[in-house]
């Protein structure tokens, strides 16, 4: 099913993010791939434990959860430059990460062509090493959180379900298929369509009332996408994913159906989300 031929079937819509929300893939990628690859690329073994802890705080456990990899890298290296050891060219990397309209391997390659600077060569080498190390992770370690399948199966009886993810379409499809989650999904929207906010906006054009829609996500980017479209937000709380999915099933879906998601319940969920990422 694609967006063009998609038709609203139920009155209610639930949008669900994949990485770190339905699929338990973020911790493993950051703890085993992103952070360690940075330590290796920049020779930071002497301060490894502290640096990895800080990497995980930036990318998993605080309000910068889910930021672009190059923004996370610039932020981490800037701190390392101040706190532990000089990082050659870090100011150029920080400036690029702030200002470049695109932050991807292709964009780093352009920066290398334009400047010839070592810091960009290292950033590209790091990014490629990260991809290789993620690809080498055993498939069975990229699993859904406990309660996701039950939650989605229940919700799908009552609402249309759409995946709204910024990850690679094929990877998301494979992971969801493997665990039988695609049975409970009506449409998969990924980075090929555009931003999460854009995807939710496209779904609203199918005729859902805004107060009959929530976005279920784990990161500030998901919250922003919901806010931009004036729909509700249901957070999956990092380190409490199992409880969040249990509540999704026991409470959140019914609140939406009863027209009681807004107001006190929404405020409580947002406050929990913000407090959990401090
Ligand atoms: Mg996510």
């Amino acid at each position: 099913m694609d967006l063009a031929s998609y038709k609203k079937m139920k009155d209610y819509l639930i949008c669900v993010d994949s990485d770190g929300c339905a699929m338990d893939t973020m911790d493993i990628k950051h703890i085993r791939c992103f952070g360690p690859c940075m330590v290796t690329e920049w020779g930071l073994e002497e301060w490894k434990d502290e640096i990895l802890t800080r990497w995980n705080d930036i990318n998993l456990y605080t309000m910068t959860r889910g930021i672009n990899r190059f923004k996370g890298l610039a932020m981490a290296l800037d701190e390392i430059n101040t706190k532990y050891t000089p990082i050659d060219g870090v100011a150029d990397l920080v400036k690029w990460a702030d200002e470049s309209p695109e932050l991807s391997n292709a964009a780093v390659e352009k920066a290398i062509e334009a400047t010839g600077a070592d810091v960009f060569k290292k950033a590209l080498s790091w990014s490629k090493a990260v991809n290789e190390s993620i690809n080498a992770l055993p498939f069975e370690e990229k699993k859904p959180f406990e309660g996701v399948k039950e939650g989605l199966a229940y919700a799908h009886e009552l609402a249309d379900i759409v995946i709204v993810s910024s990850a690679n379409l094929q990877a998301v499809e494979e992971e969801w298929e493997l665990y039988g989650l695609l049975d409970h999904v009506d449409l998969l929207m990924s980075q090929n369509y555009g931003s999460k906010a854009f995807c939710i906006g496209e779904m609203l054009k199918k005729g859902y009332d805004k107060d009959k829609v929530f976005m279920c996500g784990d990161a500030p980017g998901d919250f922003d996408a919901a806010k931009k479209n004036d729909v509700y937000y249901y957070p999956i709380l990092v380190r409490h994913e199992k409880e969040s999915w249990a509540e999704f099933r026991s409470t959140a879906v019914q609140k939406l159906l009863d027209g009681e998601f807004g107001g006190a319940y929404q405020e409580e969920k947002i406050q929990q989300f913000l407090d959990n990422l401090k």
Side-chain angles (χ1 to χ4, degrees):
M1 168 90 63
D2 65 0
L3 178 63
S5 56
Y6 178 90
K7 284 196 173 51
K8 165 180 179 283
M9 285 161 283
K10 301 192 178 74
D11 287 339
Y12 298 89
L13 173 68
I14 297 174
C15 303
V16 186
D17 171 52
S18 183
D19 272 28
C21 173
M23 302 299 300
D24 185 4
T25 47
M26 273 191 60
D27 276 24
I28 190 170
K29 285 176 186 173
H30 282 284
I31 292 166
R32 301 246 296 264
C33 307
F34 282 100
C37 285
M38 178 181 73
V39 167
T40 305
E41 182 68 45
W42 272 271
L44 303 168
E45 287 78 6
E46 195 178 332
W47 310 276
K48 188 173 175 228
D49 291 347
E50 287 168 76
I51 284 174
L52 290 181
T53 299
R54 184 62 190 134
W55 177 270
N56 297 333
D57 278 343
I58 291 172
N59 291 280
L60 294 170
Y61 305 127
T62 61
M63 280 302 284
T64 42
R65 175 177 175 85
I67 54 168
N68 172 277
R69 64 171 67 183
F70 294 107
K71 279 189 187 284
L73 179 70
M75 191 188 266
L77 288 177
D78 197 28
E79 288 186 15
I80 291 163
N81 179 63
T82 307
K83 209 167 164 189
Y84 303 106
T85 185
I87 303 290
D88 220 25
V90 71
D92 295 333
L93 183 69
V94 169
K95 188 171 181 326
W96 174 81
D98 275 348
E99 294 174 0
S100 173
E102 193 192 320
L103 296 168
S104 62
N105 283 3
V108 186
E109 278 166 15
K110 279 186 204 153
I112 294 171
E113 278 168 34
T115 66
D118 245 18
V119 73
F120 294 115
K121 291 180 189 164
K122 288 176 91 65
L124 181 62
S125 162
W126 165 77
S127 184
K128 287 181 171 172
V130 167
N131 289 352
E132 277 173 31
S133 112
I134 288 174
N135 287 335
L137 289 173
F139 214 75
E140 57 279 10
E141 290 202 50
K142 300 180 234 173
K143 302 191 291 264
F145 289 108
E146 203 177 326
V148 171
K149 188 170 168 51
E150 296 77 3
L152 291 176
Y154 165 75
H156 197 211
E157 299 287 313
L158 307 160
D160 294 336
I161 310 274
V162 174
I163 304 172
V164 173
S165 159
S166 53
N168 174 282
L169 177 86
Q170 207 184 343
V172 174
E173 195 165 17
E174 280 174 13
E175 287 168 6
W176 283 60
E177 174 70 42
L178 183 69
Y179 294 99
L181 302 178
L182 276 188
D183 302 345
H184 312 303
V185 168
D186 299 298
L187 181 66
L188 164 51
M189 297 184 89
S190 194
Q191 64 184 192
N192 52 316
Y193 283 103
S195 71
K196 289 180 182 178
F198 175 82
C199 291
I200 297 172
E202 288 302 298
M203 291 312 297
L204 290 174
K205 288 183 191 167
K206 300 289 181 181
Y208 300 97
D209 297 338
K210 289 184 174 196
D211 63 353
K212 292 180 179 167
V213 179
F214 72 70
M215 170 76 196
C216 174
D218 61 287
D222 301 310
F223 181 32
D224 287 345
K227 272 194 292 192
K228 278 185 183 144
N229 285 287
D230 201 18
V231 300
Y232 298 128
Y233 179 58
Y234 182 78
I236 300 299
L237 303 176
V238 62
R239 295 192 266 218
H240 305 281
E241 293 89 352
K242 181 183 161 188
E243 295 88 337
S244 297
W245 277 102
E247 183 178 330
F248 174 96
R249 187 179 170 182
S250 70
T251 311
V253 175
Q254 194 59 48
K255 291 261 186 205
L256 185 71
L257 265 55
D258 292 342
E260 290 175 357
F261 201 102
Y265 184 65
Q266 176 66 99
E267 281 166 30
E268 178 196 320
K269 296 316 297 176
I270 290 171
Q271 200 53 51
Q272 284 174 353
F273 176 67
L274 299 176
D275 290 346
N276 195 49
L277 286 178
K278 266 179 187 160

